Structures are given as structure tokens and as C-alpha cells.
Short mmCIF file of all heavy atoms in Angstrom, two decimals:
data_model
loop_
_atom_site.label_atom_id
_atom_site.label_comp_id
_atom_site.label_asym_id
_atom_site.label_seq_id
_atom_site.Cartn_x
_atom_site.Cartn_y
_atom_site.Cartn_z
N ARG A 1 0.91 -62.73 -17.87
CA ARG A 1 1.69 -62.70 -19.11
C ARG A 1 2.79 -63.76 -19.11
O ARG A 1 3.24 -64.23 -18.06
CB ARG A 1 2.32 -61.33 -19.31
CG ARG A 1 1.34 -60.19 -19.41
CD ARG A 1 0.49 -60.29 -20.66
NE ARG A 1 -0.34 -59.10 -20.81
CZ ARG A 1 -1.57 -59.12 -21.30
NH1 ARG A 1 -2.11 -60.26 -21.68
NH2 ARG A 1 -2.25 -58.00 -21.41
N THR A 2 3.23 -64.11 -20.30
CA THR A 2 4.36 -65.03 -20.45
C THR A 2 5.64 -64.34 -19.99
O THR A 2 5.89 -63.18 -20.33
CB THR A 2 4.51 -65.47 -21.92
OG1 THR A 2 3.30 -66.11 -22.33
CG2 THR A 2 5.69 -66.41 -22.09
N THR A 3 6.42 -65.05 -19.22
CA THR A 3 7.69 -64.51 -18.74
C THR A 3 8.85 -65.18 -19.47
O THR A 3 8.68 -66.19 -20.15
CB THR A 3 7.84 -64.72 -17.22
OG1 THR A 3 7.81 -66.13 -16.94
CG2 THR A 3 6.73 -64.02 -16.46
N ARG A 4 10.04 -64.61 -19.29
CA ARG A 4 11.23 -65.11 -19.98
C ARG A 4 12.29 -65.48 -18.96
O ARG A 4 12.46 -64.80 -17.95
CB ARG A 4 11.76 -64.02 -20.92
CG ARG A 4 12.87 -64.49 -21.84
CD ARG A 4 13.21 -63.42 -22.86
NE ARG A 4 13.90 -62.29 -22.26
CZ ARG A 4 13.71 -61.03 -22.60
NH1 ARG A 4 12.82 -60.72 -23.50
NH2 ARG A 4 14.41 -60.07 -22.03
N ALA A 5 13.02 -66.54 -19.24
CA ALA A 5 14.03 -67.02 -18.30
C ALA A 5 15.22 -66.08 -18.23
O ALA A 5 15.62 -65.48 -19.24
CB ALA A 5 14.49 -68.42 -18.70
N ILE A 6 15.77 -65.94 -17.03
CA ILE A 6 17.02 -65.22 -16.80
C ILE A 6 18.05 -66.24 -16.33
O ILE A 6 17.79 -67.02 -15.42
CB ILE A 6 16.86 -64.13 -15.73
CG1 ILE A 6 15.75 -63.15 -16.12
CG2 ILE A 6 18.18 -63.38 -15.52
CD1 ILE A 6 15.38 -62.20 -14.98
N ASN A 7 19.20 -66.24 -16.96
CA ASN A 7 20.24 -67.19 -16.59
C ASN A 7 20.99 -66.68 -15.36
O ASN A 7 21.46 -65.54 -15.34
CB ASN A 7 21.22 -67.38 -17.75
CG ASN A 7 22.05 -68.64 -17.60
OD1 ASN A 7 22.72 -68.82 -16.59
ND2 ASN A 7 22.01 -69.50 -18.60
N ARG A 8 21.11 -67.53 -14.35
CA ARG A 8 21.83 -67.12 -13.14
C ARG A 8 23.31 -66.86 -13.42
O ARG A 8 24.01 -66.23 -12.62
CB ARG A 8 21.68 -68.20 -12.06
CG ARG A 8 21.96 -67.66 -10.67
CD ARG A 8 21.77 -68.68 -9.57
NE ARG A 8 21.72 -68.00 -8.29
CZ ARG A 8 20.67 -67.93 -7.50
NH1 ARG A 8 19.54 -68.51 -7.88
NH2 ARG A 8 20.71 -67.30 -6.35
N GLY A 9 23.79 -67.34 -14.57
CA GLY A 9 25.17 -67.08 -14.96
C GLY A 9 25.49 -65.60 -15.12
O GLY A 9 26.66 -65.22 -15.23
N ILE A 10 24.47 -64.75 -15.13
CA ILE A 10 24.71 -63.30 -15.17
C ILE A 10 25.47 -62.86 -13.93
O ILE A 10 26.17 -61.84 -13.94
CB ILE A 10 23.36 -62.57 -15.31
CG1 ILE A 10 22.84 -62.72 -16.74
CG2 ILE A 10 23.47 -61.09 -14.94
CD1 ILE A 10 21.43 -62.24 -16.95
N TYR A 11 25.37 -63.63 -12.84
CA TYR A 11 26.01 -63.25 -11.58
C TYR A 11 27.26 -64.09 -11.33
O TYR A 11 27.39 -64.79 -10.34
CB TYR A 11 25.01 -63.37 -10.44
CG TYR A 11 23.94 -62.32 -10.53
CD1 TYR A 11 22.74 -62.57 -11.18
CD2 TYR A 11 24.14 -61.05 -10.01
CE1 TYR A 11 21.76 -61.59 -11.31
CE2 TYR A 11 23.17 -60.07 -10.11
CZ TYR A 11 21.99 -60.34 -10.77
OH TYR A 11 21.03 -59.37 -10.89
N GLY A 12 28.22 -64.01 -12.26
CA GLY A 12 29.51 -64.63 -12.07
C GLY A 12 30.52 -63.64 -11.51
O GLY A 12 30.24 -62.46 -11.31
N GLN A 13 31.74 -64.13 -11.25
CA GLN A 13 32.84 -63.28 -10.79
C GLN A 13 34.12 -63.65 -11.54
O GLN A 13 34.24 -64.73 -12.09
CB GLN A 13 33.05 -63.41 -9.28
CG GLN A 13 31.92 -62.86 -8.43
CD GLN A 13 31.74 -61.37 -8.56
OE1 GLN A 13 32.71 -60.63 -8.81
NE2 GLN A 13 30.51 -60.89 -8.39
N PHE A 14 35.06 -62.73 -11.52
CA PHE A 14 36.30 -62.85 -12.31
C PHE A 14 37.49 -62.65 -11.38
O PHE A 14 37.73 -61.55 -10.89
CB PHE A 14 36.27 -61.81 -13.43
CG PHE A 14 37.57 -61.61 -14.16
CD1 PHE A 14 38.34 -62.69 -14.55
CD2 PHE A 14 38.00 -60.33 -14.48
CE1 PHE A 14 39.53 -62.50 -15.24
CE2 PHE A 14 39.18 -60.13 -15.17
CZ PHE A 14 39.95 -61.21 -15.55
N LEU A 15 38.24 -63.72 -11.15
CA LEU A 15 39.41 -63.67 -10.27
C LEU A 15 40.67 -63.73 -11.12
O LEU A 15 41.08 -64.80 -11.55
CB LEU A 15 39.37 -64.83 -9.27
CG LEU A 15 40.56 -64.92 -8.31
CD1 LEU A 15 40.64 -63.69 -7.42
CD2 LEU A 15 40.47 -66.19 -7.47
N GLU A 16 41.25 -62.58 -11.36
CA GLU A 16 42.51 -62.53 -12.10
C GLU A 16 43.66 -62.31 -11.12
O GLU A 16 43.50 -61.66 -10.09
CB GLU A 16 42.51 -61.41 -13.14
CG GLU A 16 43.81 -61.36 -13.92
CD GLU A 16 43.79 -60.41 -15.11
OE1 GLU A 16 42.84 -59.61 -15.22
OE2 GLU A 16 44.73 -60.47 -15.93
N HIS A 17 44.82 -62.83 -11.47
CA HIS A 17 46.04 -62.54 -10.72
C HIS A 17 46.50 -61.14 -11.12
O HIS A 17 47.25 -60.96 -12.08
CB HIS A 17 47.12 -63.57 -11.02
CG HIS A 17 46.84 -64.92 -10.45
ND1 HIS A 17 47.64 -65.52 -9.51
CD2 HIS A 17 45.84 -65.79 -10.68
CE1 HIS A 17 47.15 -66.71 -9.20
NE2 HIS A 17 46.05 -66.89 -9.90
N ILE A 18 46.03 -60.15 -10.39
CA ILE A 18 46.33 -58.76 -10.71
C ILE A 18 46.29 -57.95 -9.43
O ILE A 18 45.43 -58.14 -8.58
CB ILE A 18 45.31 -58.21 -11.74
CG1 ILE A 18 45.56 -56.73 -12.03
CG2 ILE A 18 43.88 -58.42 -11.29
CD1 ILE A 18 44.68 -56.15 -13.14
N ASN A 19 47.29 -57.07 -9.28
CA ASN A 19 47.32 -56.14 -8.15
C ASN A 19 47.16 -56.82 -6.80
O ASN A 19 46.42 -56.36 -5.93
CB ASN A 19 46.25 -55.06 -8.35
CG ASN A 19 46.46 -54.30 -9.64
OD1 ASN A 19 45.66 -54.41 -10.56
ND2 ASN A 19 47.54 -53.54 -9.73
N HIS A 20 47.86 -57.95 -6.63
CA HIS A 20 47.87 -58.68 -5.36
C HIS A 20 46.47 -59.13 -4.94
O HIS A 20 46.15 -59.17 -3.75
CB HIS A 20 48.51 -57.85 -4.24
CG HIS A 20 49.97 -57.56 -4.47
ND1 HIS A 20 50.40 -56.42 -5.11
CD2 HIS A 20 51.08 -58.26 -4.16
CE1 HIS A 20 51.73 -56.43 -5.18
NE2 HIS A 20 52.17 -57.54 -4.61
N SER A 21 45.65 -59.47 -5.91
CA SER A 21 44.34 -60.02 -5.59
C SER A 21 44.46 -61.41 -4.98
O SER A 21 43.70 -61.78 -4.08
CB SER A 21 43.46 -60.09 -6.84
OG SER A 21 44.09 -60.89 -7.85
N VAL A 22 45.42 -62.19 -5.46
CA VAL A 22 45.63 -63.55 -4.97
C VAL A 22 46.88 -63.60 -4.11
O VAL A 22 46.82 -63.86 -2.90
CB VAL A 22 45.74 -64.54 -6.16
CG1 VAL A 22 46.02 -65.94 -5.65
CG2 VAL A 22 44.45 -64.51 -6.99
N GLU A 23 48.03 -63.35 -4.69
CA GLU A 23 49.28 -63.27 -3.93
C GLU A 23 49.21 -62.05 -3.01
O GLU A 23 48.93 -60.94 -3.47
CB GLU A 23 50.46 -63.14 -4.89
CG GLU A 23 51.82 -63.36 -4.25
CD GLU A 23 52.18 -64.82 -4.10
OE1 GLU A 23 51.42 -65.67 -4.59
OE2 GLU A 23 53.24 -65.09 -3.51
N ASP A 24 49.42 -62.26 -1.71
CA ASP A 24 49.25 -61.19 -0.72
C ASP A 24 47.80 -60.71 -0.68
O ASP A 24 47.52 -59.54 -0.40
CB ASP A 24 50.19 -60.03 -0.99
CG ASP A 24 50.47 -59.22 0.27
OD1 ASP A 24 50.20 -59.71 1.38
OD2 ASP A 24 50.95 -58.07 0.15
N GLY A 25 46.89 -61.65 -0.97
CA GLY A 25 45.46 -61.35 -0.95
C GLY A 25 44.69 -62.57 -0.53
O GLY A 25 44.81 -63.04 0.61
N LEU A 26 43.90 -63.13 -1.44
CA LEU A 26 43.08 -64.29 -1.12
C LEU A 26 43.91 -65.49 -0.68
O LEU A 26 43.49 -66.24 0.21
CB LEU A 26 42.23 -64.65 -2.34
CG LEU A 26 41.30 -65.85 -2.20
CD1 LEU A 26 40.25 -65.62 -1.11
CD2 LEU A 26 40.63 -66.17 -3.53
N PHE A 27 45.07 -65.69 -1.29
CA PHE A 27 45.96 -66.77 -0.88
C PHE A 27 46.63 -66.36 0.42
O PHE A 27 47.31 -65.34 0.49
CB PHE A 27 46.99 -67.05 -1.97
CG PHE A 27 47.87 -68.24 -1.69
CD1 PHE A 27 47.33 -69.51 -1.57
CD2 PHE A 27 49.23 -68.09 -1.57
CE1 PHE A 27 48.13 -70.60 -1.32
CE2 PHE A 27 50.06 -69.18 -1.32
CZ PHE A 27 49.50 -70.44 -1.20
N ALA A 28 46.44 -67.16 1.48
CA ALA A 28 46.70 -66.72 2.85
C ALA A 28 48.13 -66.91 3.32
O ALA A 28 48.38 -66.93 4.52
CB ALA A 28 45.74 -67.45 3.80
N GLU A 29 49.07 -67.03 2.42
CA GLU A 29 50.47 -67.07 2.80
C GLU A 29 50.87 -65.73 3.40
O GLU A 29 50.65 -64.67 2.80
CB GLU A 29 51.35 -67.38 1.58
CG GLU A 29 52.84 -67.33 1.85
CD GLU A 29 53.26 -68.36 2.89
OE1 GLU A 29 53.21 -69.57 2.58
OE2 GLU A 29 53.64 -67.93 4.01
N GLN A 30 51.47 -65.77 4.60
CA GLN A 30 51.87 -64.53 5.27
C GLN A 30 53.27 -64.06 4.87
O GLN A 30 53.59 -62.88 5.03
CB GLN A 30 51.82 -64.71 6.79
CG GLN A 30 50.42 -64.87 7.35
CD GLN A 30 50.05 -63.71 8.26
OE1 GLN A 30 50.43 -62.57 8.04
NE2 GLN A 30 49.30 -64.02 9.29
N ILE A 31 54.09 -64.98 4.38
CA ILE A 31 55.46 -64.62 4.04
C ILE A 31 55.51 -64.07 2.62
O ILE A 31 55.02 -64.68 1.68
CB ILE A 31 56.39 -65.84 4.17
CG1 ILE A 31 56.37 -66.37 5.60
CG2 ILE A 31 57.81 -65.47 3.74
CD1 ILE A 31 56.87 -65.39 6.64
N ARG A 32 56.10 -62.92 2.48
CA ARG A 32 56.35 -62.35 1.16
C ARG A 32 57.77 -62.68 0.74
O ARG A 32 58.69 -62.64 1.53
CB ARG A 32 56.14 -60.83 1.20
CG ARG A 32 54.71 -60.41 1.50
CD ARG A 32 54.61 -58.93 1.82
NE ARG A 32 55.27 -58.63 3.09
CZ ARG A 32 55.66 -57.41 3.46
NH1 ARG A 32 55.50 -56.39 2.64
NH2 ARG A 32 56.23 -57.22 4.64
N GLY A 33 57.93 -63.02 -0.54
CA GLY A 33 59.26 -63.40 -1.00
C GLY A 33 59.71 -64.70 -0.38
O GLY A 33 60.87 -64.82 0.04
N ALA A 34 58.82 -65.70 -0.36
CA ALA A 34 59.08 -66.95 0.36
C ALA A 34 60.33 -67.67 -0.13
O ALA A 34 61.04 -68.31 0.65
CB ALA A 34 57.87 -67.88 0.23
N GLY A 35 60.62 -67.57 -1.44
CA GLY A 35 61.73 -68.33 -2.00
C GLY A 35 62.95 -67.53 -2.35
O GLY A 35 63.87 -68.06 -3.00
N PHE A 36 62.99 -66.23 -1.98
CA PHE A 36 64.16 -65.38 -2.15
C PHE A 36 64.52 -65.13 -3.62
O PHE A 36 65.63 -64.71 -3.93
CB PHE A 36 65.40 -65.97 -1.44
CG PHE A 36 65.15 -66.38 -0.02
CD1 PHE A 36 65.36 -67.69 0.39
CD2 PHE A 36 64.70 -65.47 0.91
CE1 PHE A 36 65.12 -68.07 1.70
CE2 PHE A 36 64.46 -65.84 2.23
CZ PHE A 36 64.68 -67.15 2.62
N GLU A 37 63.59 -65.39 -4.55
CA GLU A 37 63.90 -65.22 -5.97
C GLU A 37 63.82 -63.75 -6.36
O GLU A 37 63.27 -62.90 -5.65
CB GLU A 37 62.93 -66.04 -6.81
CG GLU A 37 63.01 -67.54 -6.58
CD GLU A 37 64.36 -68.12 -6.98
OE1 GLU A 37 64.79 -67.90 -8.13
OE2 GLU A 37 64.98 -68.79 -6.13
N GLY A 38 64.37 -63.46 -7.55
CA GLY A 38 64.34 -62.10 -8.07
C GLY A 38 64.92 -61.12 -7.07
O GLY A 38 66.03 -61.30 -6.57
N LYS A 39 64.16 -60.08 -6.75
CA LYS A 39 64.60 -59.08 -5.78
C LYS A 39 63.89 -59.25 -4.43
O LYS A 39 63.86 -58.32 -3.61
CB LYS A 39 64.34 -57.67 -6.32
CG LYS A 39 65.15 -57.35 -7.57
CD LYS A 39 64.89 -55.92 -8.05
CE LYS A 39 65.73 -55.59 -9.27
NZ LYS A 39 65.50 -54.19 -9.75
N ASP A 40 63.33 -60.44 -4.20
CA ASP A 40 62.53 -60.66 -3.01
C ASP A 40 63.32 -60.54 -1.71
O ASP A 40 62.80 -60.04 -0.71
CB ASP A 40 61.85 -62.03 -3.07
CG ASP A 40 60.67 -62.03 -4.03
OD1 ASP A 40 60.36 -60.97 -4.59
OD2 ASP A 40 60.07 -63.10 -4.22
N PHE A 41 64.55 -61.04 -1.71
CA PHE A 41 65.33 -60.98 -0.47
C PHE A 41 65.58 -59.52 -0.08
O PHE A 41 65.40 -59.12 1.08
CB PHE A 41 66.65 -61.73 -0.63
CG PHE A 41 67.47 -61.79 0.63
CD1 PHE A 41 67.01 -62.46 1.75
CD2 PHE A 41 68.70 -61.16 0.69
CE1 PHE A 41 67.76 -62.51 2.92
CE2 PHE A 41 69.47 -61.20 1.86
CZ PHE A 41 68.99 -61.88 2.97
N GLU A 42 65.94 -58.72 -1.05
CA GLU A 42 66.19 -57.30 -0.80
C GLU A 42 64.91 -56.58 -0.40
O GLU A 42 64.92 -55.70 0.46
CB GLU A 42 66.79 -56.66 -2.05
CG GLU A 42 67.02 -55.17 -1.96
CD GLU A 42 67.51 -54.60 -3.27
OE1 GLU A 42 67.81 -55.38 -4.20
OE2 GLU A 42 67.58 -53.35 -3.37
N ALA A 43 63.78 -56.95 -1.03
CA ALA A 43 62.53 -56.22 -0.82
C ALA A 43 61.86 -56.56 0.50
O ALA A 43 61.24 -55.69 1.12
CB ALA A 43 61.58 -56.51 -1.98
N PHE A 44 61.96 -57.82 0.95
CA PHE A 44 61.11 -58.26 2.05
C PHE A 44 61.86 -58.74 3.29
O PHE A 44 61.24 -58.92 4.34
CB PHE A 44 60.18 -59.39 1.58
CG PHE A 44 59.30 -59.01 0.43
CD1 PHE A 44 59.37 -59.68 -0.77
CD2 PHE A 44 58.40 -57.96 0.55
CE1 PHE A 44 58.55 -59.33 -1.83
CE2 PHE A 44 57.57 -57.60 -0.49
CZ PHE A 44 57.64 -58.29 -1.70
#
């Protein structure tokens, strides 16, 4: 039988900056509050 194409784009991924997915996650910086801004000095 004739078949139909499937686009490999169905298997994408979505990387949003949310819930420490990047910061304190994929981005490998070990220091939290690196620049002391906001409440970072007090927090970290």
C-alpha cells in the first residue's frame, strides 16, 4: 500500500527558563547569586 510521510519534527523539545531548568540546572555554573543582586547575598 501507499504510505504517508511522517515529519521527524514531531520529536522536538522545549527548553524554557522555568523552575531552575537552566539556571541551577543545565547551565553548569555552581555559584548561586554570583553577582550579589536582589536578595542573592542574603539568600546564598
Side-chain angles (χ1 to χ4, degrees):
R1 299 294 186 215
T2 300
T3 61
R4 188 172 72 218
I6 303 169
N7 198 304
R8 200 178 195 113
I10 286 170
Y11 291 93
Q13 292 295 330
F14 168 44
L15 179 62
E16 181 171 12
H17 289 243
I18 176 174
N19 301 113
H20 296 92
S21 58
V22 177
E23 193 82 5
D24 204 16
L26 180 62
F27 186 62
E29 176 61 69
Q30 291 245 36
I31 300 298
R32 295 168 293 161
F36 311 121
E37 297 297 306
K39 296 182 178 180
D40 284 357
F41 183 64
E42 176 185 352
F44 302 120

